Amino acid sequence: MIFEQVKNFYQSYNGKKCVIGYSFRGKEIFAFHIGSLTGKQFISTYAIHGREWITARLALKHIKKGIKNGGGWVIPLVNPDGAEISQHIRPLWKANARGVDLNCNFDADWGTGRLNTRVRGSENCTGDSPFSEAETCALRDFTLKVKPFVTLSFHTKGGEIYWQYDGRGDKRGADILASATGYKPMPVFGSAGGYKDWCIKKLRIPAYTIECGSDELKHPITSLRKLKKCFKALRIFTDNYGR
């Protein structure tokens, strides 16, 4: 299963690495450093939604490929409990083990999204308050520690790139990602409380969400080949995005 795959990779990884925190059920949330340890650093996250666990495999490919310029942290599996539920019990499960959608739980206009609900379930539940969940607290604290100059969040699906929030954002990075993937930079309306949203609104840094894979695909995507347009995305981005 995907958690064991990431854990085994972590145990054999010879580069800088750490555990940034633990899920509600006590699973480690692993982070891997790639590239230079000096200079400005990025953070790239994957599988914040359980049913999007295939992006954790994309993360491992990004780590193996490495980057030529700059450095930063790759977090393959932000939501290990949700991934386990998706793989073993309910394939379309997005939330964590407490039924909270982690990408609605950040402090960026929390609770105001068009589809937000306080009802626990497989998706769209905001939680009881911003950062009510162990996983979002871990990602928040790690982000504040690293102080990245940019963040990227790999999701599935749709073939789109989101780069704006609250009237702010840096389209230049979205254009680079578009050139790397063939996906379209798009505005997004009616969402709130996401990691990208928090990075842009509260940390005042550029942040991007990359929706990997064609919208014609069905959740959960189980073949990494379906995300092949994203295989070089991180490397191309770090080669071309201004430092």
Side-chain angles (χ1 to χ4, degrees), residues 65-219:
K65 281 183 172 292
I67 56 175
K68 293 180 179 178
N69 297 309
W73 290 91
V74 174
I75 306 174
L77 191 55
V78 177
N79 185 6
D81 296 344
E84 182 178 54
I85 292 169
S86 175
Q87 288 193 301
H88 290 283
I89 304 171
R90 294 183 59 178
L92 298 184
W93 189 268
K94 289 177 70 177
N96 70 355
R98 281 174 25 96
V100 174
D101 188 326
L102 297 178
N103 215 36
C104 300
N105 190 237
F106 288 83
D107 186 16
D109 302 309
W110 174 85
T112 65
R114 180 171 55 87
L115 299 177
N116 285 173
T117 177
R118 299 290 176 86
V119 179
R120 303 290 176 89
S122 67
E123 59 185 321
N124 299 326
C125 177
T126 63
D128 299 328
S129 62
F131 301 117
S132 61
E133 306 308 301
E135 298 90 347
T136 52
C137 286
L139 183 52
R140 174 199 63 194
D141 293 348
F142 187 70
T143 303
L144 293 175
K145 179 180 179 180
V146 171
K147 297 182 175 64
F149 79 104
V150 65
T151 68
L152 302 98
S153 301
F154 288 87
H155 288 248
T156 57
K157 57 186 179 58
E160 296 178 341
I161 299 161
Y162 306 136
W163 59 278
Q164 292 175 298
Y165 189 76
D166 198 32
R168 291 191 293 270
D170 184 358
K171 189 172 183 293
R172 183 170 53 95
D175 289 338
I176 294 168
L177 290 164
S179 70
T181 61
Y183 300 157
K184 293 182 179 181
M186 297 288 289
V188 58
F189 303 102
S191 68
Y195 180 60
K196 169 187 70 68
D197 309 334
W198 176 69
C199 289
I200 293 174
K201 185 177 179 71
K202 295 298 179 72
L203 303 188
R204 302 298 179 106
I205 60 173
Y208 303 93
T209 295
I210 305 95
E211 293 285 356
C212 306
S214 167
D215 201 34
E216 296 177 357
L217 298 171
K218 294 183 178 180
H219 285 304

Side-chain angles (χ1 to χ4, degrees), residues 11-117:
Q11 291 172 341
S12 64
Y13 187 65
N14 291 324
K16 187 174 182 179
K17 58 189 177 181
C18 66
V19 173
I20 70 166
Y22 298 85
S23 70
F24 174 70
R25 291 180 174 172
K27 289 185 173 61
E28 299 96 335
I29 302 173
F30 301 106
F32 303 78
H33 191 273
I34 59 175
S36 174
L37 289 167
T38 62
K40 295 179 180 179
Q41 303 288 299
F42 68 82
I43 290 178
S44 188
T45 71
Y46 308 71
I48 199 168
H49 286 141
R51 72 186 185 189
E52 299 171 17
W53 54 263
I54 192 66
T55 58
R57 290 185 180 160
L58 177 65
L60 300 187
K61 179 169 282 291
H62 284 169
I63 296 167
K64 291 174 184 176
K65 281 183 172 292
I67 56 175
K68 293 180 179 178
N69 297 309
W73 290 91
V74 174
I75 306 174
L77 191 55
V78 177
N79 185 6
D81 296 344
E84 182 178 54
I85 292 169
S86 175
Q87 288 193 301
H88 290 283
I89 304 171
R90 294 183 59 178
L92 298 184
W93 189 268
K94 289 177 70 177
N96 70 355
R98 281 174 25 96
V100 174
D101 188 326
L102 297 178
N103 215 36
C104 300
N105 190 237
F106 288 83
D107 186 16
D109 302 309
W110 174 85
T112 65
R114 180 171 55 87
L115 299 177
N116 285 173
T117 177

